[in-house]
């Protein structure tokens, strides 16, 4: 037996069904806190917001790469500092040997420290990459990969006991005290000191390049971090955007900035002198 | 790869750190290496930065011509961007384009995008009056 609805009853039924649907939407919004929760609510803003979230995700991945590079460079810099300390020790041993009657012993100590340099250099890596072992790293700043920085690209030389940053440091035993009968050989000692100075200079240059690279990457990494936050929060706020509110907000912001004391930005003297001319 | 620039008589521009003024006739220059280049019409003086979007322009401009203090200018940039987006979340798309250009170091493109932001801001403000 079929039940026929009168027009009035049908209208009531449709009204109740509509109300039920509205209640569900409201409950959904209350639960998630978002006015636009799916593509059906506001397709344009929903997909725009998704785009921003995806982009934030991509940038977060790039930032991880940058942080890795920073750790690798820091490990190399620490290694360089330690090697410089060792070279300085060797230098003072050599200097003492010039006026010592125990030069052979000092030469042996010199060689011991020299041999440790190779081990230290080999331990200056991070995550399998070692800038003191001839490795080159390439840090990518954007997705297409066309904005990147190569670290240690051209001067990628391994540091071992005999070859430090591309310079030679030879053994001392048999050189400090040489000849038959064995006698102190000051000329050889001076040569050794010269080699150490060259090595120290080369290491200093290498450290400067690495530090400059580190600073560039750090600035990019910080910028990327801010961008990820802005896109994530901004993407969420996008679904709350209301045109009229924005107009009122913008007017308020402009007034607040005009009355406020936060200055625009500190510019260097050079930049100020340029801007003042326009 | 060079940038070809044509200057009208008496027109000014910034090349590297120098402010140059053209003489009495039109001239054509080629800047062959990468230095900051800004024409007179693209330069915003501090007094002219009287709206939120123009302040962002000023910050990006400083990143371009005052590269030694990049970290400071970035801090100011993000503070102003955050304030702007709090007021007008719908500007996120343009802000993203500006930030992308800054990320890869293409400041000239970034400045062009901030000009769009300035125009967008005027639209928003026009609705308020």
């Amino acid at each position: 037996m079929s039940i026929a609805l009168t027009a009035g009853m049908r209208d009531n039924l449709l009204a109740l069904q509509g109300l039920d649907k509205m209640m569900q939407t409201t409950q959904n919004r209350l639960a998630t806190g978002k006015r636009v929760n799916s593509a059906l609510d506001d397709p344009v803003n929903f997909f725009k917001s998704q785009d921003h979230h995806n982009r934030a995700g991509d940038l977060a991945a790039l930032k991880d790469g940058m942080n890795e590079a920073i750790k690798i460079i820091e490990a190399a810099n620490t290694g360089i500092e330690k090697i410089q300390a060792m070279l300085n020790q060797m230098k003072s041993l050599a200097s003492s040997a010039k006026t010592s009657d125990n030069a052979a012993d000092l030469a042996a100590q010199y060689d011991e420290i020299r041999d440790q340099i190779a081990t230290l250099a080999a331990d200056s890596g991070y995550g399998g990459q070692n800038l003191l072992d001839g490795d080159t790293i390439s840090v990518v700043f954007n997705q297409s990969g066309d904005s990147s920085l190569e670290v240690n690209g051209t001067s990628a030389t391994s540091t071992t006991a005999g070859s430090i940053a591309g310079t030679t440091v030879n053994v001392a035993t048999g050189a400090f005290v040489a000849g038959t009968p064995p006698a102190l050989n000051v000329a050889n000692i001076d040569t050794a000191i010269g080699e150490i100075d060259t090595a120290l200079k080369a290491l200093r240059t290498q450290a400067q390049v690495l530090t400059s690279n580190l600073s560039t990457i750090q600035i990019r990494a910080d910028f990327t971090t801010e961008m990820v936050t802005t896109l994530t929060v901004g993407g969420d706020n996008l679904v709350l955007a209301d045109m009229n509110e924005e107009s009122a907000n913008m007017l308020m912001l402009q007034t607040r900035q005009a009355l406020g004391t936060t200055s625009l930005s500190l510019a260097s003297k050079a930049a100020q002198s340029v801007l003042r001319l326009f | 790869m060079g940038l070809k620039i044509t200057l009208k008589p008496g027109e000014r521009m910034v090349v590297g750190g120098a402010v140059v003024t053209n003489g009495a006739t039109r001239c054509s220059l080629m800047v062959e290496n990468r230095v900051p280049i800004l024409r007179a019409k693209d330069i915003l003086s501090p007094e002219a930065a009287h709206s939120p979007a123009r302040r962002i322009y000023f910050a990006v401009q400083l990143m371009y011509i005052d590269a030694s203090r990049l970290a400071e200018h970035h801090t100011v940039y993000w503070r102003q961007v955050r304030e702007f987006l709090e007021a007008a979340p719908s500007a996120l798309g343009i802000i993203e384009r500006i930030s992308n250009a800054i990320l890869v170091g293409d400041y000239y493109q970034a400045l062009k995008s901030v000009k769009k932001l300035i125009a967008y801001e005027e639209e928003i403000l026009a609705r308020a009056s």
Side-chain angles (χ1 to χ4, degrees), chain A residues 73-90:
Chain A
I73 297 177
E74 282 173 347
N77 268 341
T78 309
I80 289 178
E81 273 169 34
K82 294 200 182 131
I83 295 175
Q84 284 172 327
M86 286 172 149
L87 286 173
N88 280 324
Q89 275 183 309
M90 284 160 69

Side-chain angles (χ1 to χ4, degrees), chain A residues 129-131 133-138 149-156:
Chain A
Q129 301 271 54
N130 191 343
L131 291 170
D133 198 20
D135 285 341
T136 301
I137 56 174
S138 179
L149 180 68
E150 265 214 358
V151 181
N152 223 25
T154 48
S155 65

Side-chain angles (χ1 to χ4, degrees), chain A residues 75 81 99 113 121 186 223 226 230 245 247:
Chain A
E81 273 169 34
T99 52
I113 300 180
V186 177
F223 191 89
E226 289 279 1
T230 304
E245 260 183 54
S247 303

Side-chain angles (χ1 to χ4, degrees), chain B residues 13-78:
Chain B
M13 62 181 293
V14 175
V15 183
V19 179
V20 292
T21 310
N22 190 17
T25 53
R26 277 177 84 87
C27 86
S28 175
L29 295 173
M30 174 80 117
V31 181
E32 311 206 18
N33 59 331
R34 292 199 82 187
V35 290
I37 295 171
L38 275 182
R39 314 190 60 141
K41 62 177 168 66
D42 293 328
I43 294 212
L44 194 75
S45 65
E47 299 78 38
H50 54 68
S51 78
R54 286 184 185 79
R55 284 175 158 230
I56 295 180
Y57 190 95
F58 193 77
V60 179
Q61 183 177 259
L62 277 180
M63 286 182 212
Y64 196 22
I65 63 178
D66 192 15
S68 58
R69 287 156 158 242
L70 218 45
E72 271 180 51
H73 299 317
H74 282 174
T75 314
V76 173
Y77 171 79
W78 284 116

Side-chain angles (χ1 to χ4, degrees), chain A residues 34-227:
Chain A
K34 290 189 188 157
R35 187 168 63 84
V36 178
N37 204 35
S38 78
L40 295 175
D41 283 322
D42 182 346
V44 174
N45 271 338
F46 178 76
F47 286 115
K48 269 199 223 167
S49 171
Q50 286 252 306
D51 271 344
H52 292 307
H53 276 279
N54 290 341
R55 176 88 177 113
D58 293 337
L59 285 172
L62 286 176
K63 207 201 56 165
D64 286 339
M66 290 183 225
N67 281 341
E68 276 282 302
I70 289 172
K71 295 222 173 74
I72 295 171
I73 297 177
E74 282 173 347
N77 268 341
T78 309
I80 289 178
E81 273 169 34
K82 294 200 182 131
I83 295 175
Q84 284 172 327
M86 286 172 149
L87 286 173
N88 280 324
Q89 275 183 309
M90 284 160 69
K91 195 164 158 184
S92 62
L93 280 172
S95 297
S96 326
K98 275 206 264 194
T99 52
S100 151
D101 47 357
N102 208 0
D105 270 350
L106 293 175
Q109 288 179 36
Y110 180 104
D111 284 338
E112 245 184 70
I113 300 180
R114 177 185 171 274
D115 289 337
Q116 284 172 27
I117 290 180
T119 321
L120 195 76
D123 278 340
S124 299
Y126 178 89
Q129 301 271 54
N130 191 343
L131 291 170
L132 297 185
D133 198 20
D135 285 341
T136 301
I137 56 174
S138 179
V139 194
V140 176
F141 299 127
N142 71 342
Q143 257 138 304
S144 50
D146 54 8
S147 173
S148 64
L149 180 68
E150 265 214 358
V151 181
N152 223 25
T154 48
S155 65
T157 45
S158 305
T159 289
T160 60
S163 166
I164 302 180
T167 71
T168 334
V169 175
N170 287 311
V171 286
T173 322
F176 283 16
V177 178
T180 31
L184 191 65
N185 190 327
V186 177
N188 282 354
I189 297 179
D190 281 335
T191 310
I193 294 179
E195 285 174 351
I196 294 182
D197 281 336
T198 313
L200 280 170
K201 219 161 103 178
L203 279 178
R204 209 176 310 137
T205 311
Q206 194 179 33
Q208 278 169 353
V209 170
L210 287 182
T211 307
S212 151
N213 283 340
L214 183 68
S215 160
T216 305
I217 299 174
Q218 188 69 64
I219 291 180
R220 289 297 230 286
D222 290 341
F223 191 89
T224 310
T225 308
E226 289 279 1
M227 207 166 152

Side-chain angles (χ1 to χ4, degrees), chain B residues 2 5 9-10 12 15 18 27 53 65 70-71 82-83 86 88 99 101 103 114 116 118:
Chain B
I5 300 168
R12 278 178 147 168
V15 183
C27 86
I65 63 178
L70 218 45
R82 248 176 272 135
E83 283 183 348
E86 264 178 45
S99 305
L103 191 61
V114 186
K116 295 210 174 81
I118 294 178

